[in-house]
Amino acid sequence: MDLQIKHDIENNIFSTVITIAGLGTEVFSEEEENEMLRNFPSKIVYKNLDFSGNIIMNGTVPEVTEEKPNEPSEPNASDKTEDADVTEVTDITEVANNSIVTVTLPPLSNKEILLDRNFRAEYKIDVNKVPNSAVDKNVLTTKELVAYAYCAIYDKVICDAITKIMDNIRSKAPAFEGETIINI
């Protein structure tokens, strides 16, 4: 299966659309993979997905990375307050090395998208609705970069979910259907 990801910006609205560009692999033909999708219907369910990830800048482009941010250094005992166990959750967590940030998309309405030949997953974010708290001073320094990062996270999470579903479907019974002639 090949996925197509299309990014667009119009009137300060960043959007990403993921569709199926083609079915088939080195092992399965287009028809076989299409048949698997019909035989084992599956959906991408937003509530089951964690739309967060780590972002690193590659030049001027925010990219999802598997690298883990460095843990912030432990504060001195004299810096701790009585509320040391309370942690504030924000859209972006700054890290000690200032090159990787953890980004979480604003809450999405629960959506279920059937994985079939007509699959289409779309995410839009208006730059004007990106909270100021999402901008940081080292990595995602503008609301536009934050919107770009949100789209990159969305793409990665959806593509990973599709990969997991397809691996599961392909393993179920790919050669079960068909006819066999037995010579007695």
Side-chain angles (χ1 to χ4, degrees):
M1 173 182 293
D2 294 320
L3 299 176
Q4 177 179 5
I5 300 173
K6 181 181 177 196
H7 292 153
D8 193 27
I9 305 170
E10 188 173 324
N11 294 325
N12 288 322
I13 297 174
F14 282 62
S15 66
T16 183
V17 177
I18 303 170
T19 57
I20 294 178
L23 295 173
T25 65
E26 298 87 25
V27 178
F28 299 108
S29 71
E30 179 178 352
E31 285 182 24
E32 288 171 324
E33 201 163 58
N34 193 39
E35 188 69 21
M36 284 184 231
L37 289 172
R38 282 196 302 269
N39 290 340
F40 302 103
S42 299
K43 294 180 180 179
I44 299 290
V45 181
Y46 282 11
K47 73 177 180 181
N48 297 336
L49 302 175
D50 176 18
F51 288 97
S52 63
N54 297 326
I55 294 287
I56 191 167
M57 293 300 290
N58 183 3
T60 59
V61 177
E63 289 184 351
V64 179
T65 181
E66 296 300 319
E67 291 181 50
K68 302 290 183 210
N70 292 338
E71 293 297 319
S73 57
E74 184 69 21
N76 295 333
S78 60
D79 294 336
K80 292 184 178 180
T81 65
E82 290 179 304
D83 295 332
D85 293 339
V86 178
T87 306
E88 183 178 332
V89 177
T90 60
D91 289 331
I92 296 176
T93 306
E94 284 193 57
V95 296
N97 69 4
N98 295 326
S99 64
I100 300 173
V101 290
T102 300
V103 176
T104 301
L105 270 64
L108 300 175
S109 60
N110 189 30
K111 191 173 190 179
E112 295 183 6
I113 307 169
L114 180 65
L115 185 56
D116 64 4
R117 184 180 289 276
N118 300 316
F119 178 83
R120 179 182 173 92
E122 184 173 10
Y123 175 75
K124 293 181 179 185
I125 181 73
D126 186 337
V127 170
N128 299 313
K129 294 183 180 177
V130 171
N132 290 331
S133 63
V135 177
D136 74 288
K137 62 183 177 209
N138 297 311
V139 181
L140 301 176
T141 57
T142 66
K143 289 185 174 191
E144 290 78 11
L145 287 175
V146 173
Y148 194 146
Y150 284 172
C151 289
I153 295 290
Y154 180 86
D155 293 344
K156 174 86 169 113
V157 170
I158 296 295
C159 289
D160 286 352
I162 292 171
T163 299
K164 185 176 178 181
I165 288 170
M166 290 308 299
D167 288 347
N168 184 26
I169 288 173
R170 289 179 188 125
S171 70
K172 288 191 174 178
F176 179 74
E177 290 185 322
E179 296 178 9
T180 305
I181 297 176
I182 299 174
N183 188 0
I184 305 178

